[in-house]
Amino acid sequence: ARSRTVGELLAPTSPFDKKCGRENWTVAFAPDGSYLAWSQGHRIVKLVPWAQCLNNFLLHGTKNGANAVSTRLPRQSSESGQKNKPCEHIIDCGDIVWSLAFGSSVPEKQSRCVNIEWHRFKFGQDQLLLATGLNNGRIKIWDAYTGKLLLNLMDHTEVVRDLTFAPDGSLILVSASRDKTLRVWDLKDDGNMMKVLRGHPNWVYGCAFSPDSSILCSVGASKAVFLWDMDKYSMLRKLEGHHNDVVACEFSPDGALLATASYDTRVYVWDPHIGVILREFGHLFPPPTPIFAGGANDRWVRSVCFSHDGLHVASLADDKMVRFWRIDEEYPVQVAPLNNGLCCTFSTDGSVLAAGQDGSLYFWATPSQVSSLQHLCRMAIRRVMPTSQVKNLPIPCKVLEFLCYQI
C-alpha cells in the first residue's frame, strides 16, 4: 500500500546555494508535541510549532504547506514575555548540524550533582531545551521558547553524530561522537560532564535511552551494538548479529524491543534484555551473505524509528523508499518514495512520520490501526517487567511467548 502524503516543508533555495552542505541529518519532535526541529543544512536549524504546521497542511494542501508555515507563523520578540506560546525560530549554530534532541525538565527529579545551589540556570516545569550536535565537536543548548543560547558544551574532539535526553525529565543528555566515545552531561548542573563511556572500537553513530531511562543503547561502525547500565555507567552486553556499520537505534514505547538499522541492508528487532533477534526486516532480496555484508550501496538503511503504538517500525534506505513495517509481519505494510533520505522520526502522537532530505522535510500519515486489547495489556506489563521476570510468571506457554514478542 502507498502511504498518504500529509505535507512538506521546503528549505529556501538561492541561485548560489549548492547541494553539498544542505544535507538534513536530523529531525526531532518535542516530547509534548509543541515543536518540530530539523537541520536545513549548512548551519541552520529551523524550529516551528507543530500544531500550526498541521493546520497549514490542512488549510493549504500538501504543496503549499511549507510556504504557509514560513510566512504565516508569528515571530516572538524577546520582550513579549509569552514564553510558553510556541513561536517559530531560525537558529544559526555556527557549524554543520549533525544531531538534535529535545529535553524537558521535571523539578521533582533530583539532579545527580552536589552543588545544586550554585547553578546559573534554574530549569522549571515549563522548560523546553533543544540540544544541537555540531561538526566541530561542540554541543549547543538552546531555549526552545526564545531561541537563546544557554550552554556551549566542549569536550568531544570529532563530529557529534547523535544526541538523546533521558525521558525521565532529569535533563541528563548523552552524546555520541566520531571520537569513539559517548559522554553523559547533566544540564541541571550547568552542563557538567558526568561520565565518558568508552568501548566502541570506531565511530559512534547513534544512541537511544530506554523509556525508563535505565538502559542506553549505542550503535556504531564495526557492527557495534552496545547496551549500557545508566545507573552504574557500565556496559551490560554487546548485541551481535549485524554484518556492517550500525547507524541508528530506538527502543519500543514499552522498552521490550530494540530496533537497529545497518548498512548490511537490514533492520533487526531485538529483545534487549536477553540479546536475541526477534525480527529481521530486509531491504535487499535475496539478502547479502556476510562476505558481501554491505550488499548494494543503494540498499543501505539510514534510519529506523518505533511508532507510538508499539506495533509499527519505519525505516529509510538508500533505495529511495520509506517503509512502514508491522512487528509481526515479514513485509512492509506501506511504502512511500523519498530521494536522498537521511533521517526519519514519528511525531509525538505517532500519527505522522517526518523524513529529511536535502534540507527539506516530508510527512506521511502512518498506518492507522486500533491496537488490540491483548497488545495494550502486553505493553502495560512489559513497561514494568523485563523478559527474565516475565518468563518466571506461572502462565501458559502461548501467553508467555506473546508477552515476549515471540509470536
Side-chain angles (χ1 to χ4, degrees):
R2 187 78 170 264
S3 182
R4 178 174 61 86
T5 302
V6 175
E8 59 189 29
L9 296 176
L10 304 179
T13 58
S14 57
F16 55 84
D17 197 7
K18 298 179 180 179
K19 181 179 177 181
C20 182
R22 290 259 325 265
E23 292 87 0
N24 179 358
W25 290 108
T26 178
V27 57
F29 285 91
D32 60 359
S34 59
Y35 271 108
L36 164 69
W38 77 99
S39 60
Q40 285 193 334
H42 303 300
R43 310 180 308 183
I44 303 301
V45 169
K46 187 75 173 287
L47 257 173
V48 296
W50 175 234
Q52 294 190 42
C53 281
L54 287 178
N55 289 338
N56 280 298
F57 292 154
L58 294 173
L59 290 173
H60 303 278
T62 298
K63 298 299 180 185
N64 297 327
N67 295 331
V69 169
S70 62
T71 57
R72 292 170 179 263
L73 290 181
R75 293 185 177 275
Q76 177 185 16
S77 69
S78 57
E79 315 298 332
S80 66
Q82 296 177 329
K83 185 176 180 181
N84 294 325
K85 183 179 179 181
C87 293
E88 176 186 351
H89 297 289
I90 296 176
I91 298 175
D92 187 341
C93 295
D95 206 341
I96 297 173
V97 180
W98 284 85
S99 50
L100 290 172
F102 280 100
S104 59
S105 58
V106 179
E108 291 77 13
K109 181 70 177 182
Q110 291 297 316
S111 173
R112 301 188 189 186
C113 65
V114 178
N115 297 321
I116 196 165
E117 69 274 8
W118 294 104
H119 289 171
R120 289 177 293 161
F121 302 104
K122 300 296 182 182
F123 295 116
Q125 179 71 48
D126 61 347
Q127 192 76 39
L128 182 64
L129 304 180
L130 177 66
T132 57
L134 307 182
N135 191 70
N136 58 10
R138 295 190 179 189
I139 302 168
K140 292 187 176 181
I141 311 297
W142 310 82
D143 187 321
Y145 295 122
T146 64
K148 292 182 177 179
L149 179 65
L150 299 179
L151 291 169
N152 193 354
L153 310 180
M154 298 176 288
D155 206 73
H156 283 296
T157 58
E158 293 284 348
V159 172
V160 180
R161 192 62 186 84
D162 199 15
L163 295 165
T164 182
F165 276 96
D168 60 8
S170 60
L171 289 183
I172 298 297
L173 173 70
V174 175
S175 55
S177 172
R178 287 183 181 175
D179 64 12
K180 308 178 186 178
T181 68
L182 298 134
R183 296 175 191 264
V184 186
W185 314 81
D186 187 351
L187 298 194
K188 287 188 176 180
D189 189 17
D190 289 341
N192 175 51
M193 193 188 69
M194 304 161 54
K195 199 73 178 177
V196 179
L197 304 180
R198 305 182 189 274
H200 278 268
N202 214 316
W203 290 0
V204 189
Y205 278 102
C207 55
F209 268 103
S210 62
D212 64 0
S213 303
S214 65
I215 298 175
L216 179 83
C217 175
S218 63
V219 297
S222 305
K223 305 177 279 190
V225 182
F226 295 166
L227 295 179
W228 306 83
D229 183 331
M230 293 308 288
D231 290 325
K232 301 176 181 178
Y233 300 114
S234 60
M235 188 181 296
L236 285 173
R237 63 176 55 90
K238 300 178 183 179
L239 303 183
E240 298 183 354
H242 279 296
H243 304 296
N244 205 326
D245 294 355
V246 189
V247 295
C249 60
E250 187 165 82
F251 283 90
S252 61
D254 59 2
L257 304 174
L258 171 69
T260 57
S262 170
Y263 287 164
D264 65 9
T265 74
R266 299 171 174 92
V267 167
Y268 285 154
V269 178
W270 309 76
D271 184 328
H273 302 285
I274 57 177
V276 173
I277 298 172
L278 300 177
R279 302 283 184 276
E280 177 183 327
F281 299 138
H283 296 67
L284 178 64
F285 300 97
T289 58
I291 196 170
F292 299 109
N297 289 1
D298 62 354
R299 297 297 192 276
W300 285 3
V301 188
R302 294 282 180 178
S303 185
V304 67
C305 52
F306 251 105
S307 177
H308 181 72
D309 61 10
L311 281 174
H312 293 91
V313 175
S315 65
L316 190 155
D318 284 347
D319 62 354
K320 304 178 182 179
M321 296 292 289
V322 177
R323 293 171 173 84
F324 296 91
W325 312 77
R326 269 186 63 101
I327 60 172
D328 54 0
E329 294 186 16
E330 186 177 355
Y331 300 103
V333 293
Q334 288 185 13
V335 296
L338 180 68
N339 291 333
N340 303 321
L342 293 173
C343 60
C344 66
T345 189
F346 283 99
S347 59
T348 308
D349 64 359
S351 63
V352 173
L353 180 79
Q357 169 251 347
D358 291 342
S360 300
L361 277 185
Y362 297 86
F363 303 89
W364 294 275
T366 59
S368 57
Q369 185 173 3
V370 177
S371 298
S372 67
L373 181 59
Q374 291 98 321
H375 175 65
L376 294 176
C377 291
R378 172 169 62 182
M379 289 185 67
I381 292 172
R382 293 311 308 268
R383 284 182 189 275
V384 296
M385 297 185 71
T387 305
S388 57
Q389 293 183 16
V390 171
K391 288 188 173 182
N392 290 328
L393 294 175
I395 53 179
C397 291
K398 285 294 182 183
V399 179
L400 188 65
E401 291 177 359
F402 179 78
L403 290 178
C404 293
Y405 288 91
Q406 294 175 359
I407 55 173

